[in-house]
Amino acid sequence: MNSIYDILGGDGITRLVERFYQQVPGDDILGPMYPADEMDGARQRLTDFLIYRFGGPQHYIEQRGHPRLRMRHMPFKIDQAARDRWMQFMENALAEAELPDDHLQALHKFFADTATFIIN
């Protein structure tokens, strides 16, 4: 079975992240966590992380080291509502990605598990 990176490529992951972040500005829960002047950096970090995580080049690790997701998200109040909104936006983005079912299920599980993991 091909990796998610093999299926989507860097461009596909970039489009997924763009679709996600298009929903964030103005949102009452996630919007305040993403100041406009930090949005480009947040997009790039998530893109690089997903490319690394799903079998692509290791740019994220080379630039930032171990992901340490819980530690990196500690400055933000991430409760169940924030987790659920993040998942809603990612599911919306995934719905547009037109992935094979097995890859879509794997992504959904990864995002759901990870989003729950970083609740603080």
Side-chain angles (χ1 to χ4, degrees):
M1 183 164 106
N2 291 332
S3 73
I4 291 169
Y5 182 79
D6 290 337
I7 299 292
L8 287 176
D11 290 341
I13 291 173
T14 298
R15 283 191 303 276
L16 179 71
V17 171
E18 281 298 316
R19 288 179 183 123
F20 171 83
Y21 278 105
Q22 287 170 356
Q23 303 168 82
V24 171
D27 181 70
D28 61 328
I29 296 174
L30 297 185
M33 294 184 202
Y34 294 95
D37 62 339
E38 295 179 23
M39 190 70 76
D40 288 343
R43 268 190 203 105
Q44 189 62 54
R45 286 187 297 276
L46 181 57
T47 299
D48 289 347
F49 172 73
L50 294 178
I51 287 171
Y52 142 73
R53 176 61 181 78
F54 294 121
Q58 305 288 299
H59 301 302
Y60 182 91
I61 297 298
E62 292 165 1
Q63 294 174 3
R64 298 185 51 87
H66 188 279
R68 300 185 315 242
L69 295 178
R70 287 187 70 114
M71 185 203 73
R72 292 185 196 277
H73 289 85
M74 269 306 165
F76 308 100
K77 180 185 176 211
I78 302 175
D79 57 12
Q80 188 69 43
R83 179 251 183 237
D84 292 348
R85 184 66 52 86
W86 194 96
M87 279 302 300
Q88 175 188 354
F89 288 175
M90 188 53 76
E91 287 172 355
N92 293 344
L94 285 168
E96 297 178 29
E98 300 178 5
L99 291 170
D101 283 342
D102 55 341
H103 286 84
L104 189 59
Q105 289 172 7
L107 280 167
H108 177 77
K109 180 171 176 20
F110 170 78
F111 288 132
D113 291 349
T114 303
T116 299
F117 175 73
I118 64 171
I119 290 174
N120 58 25

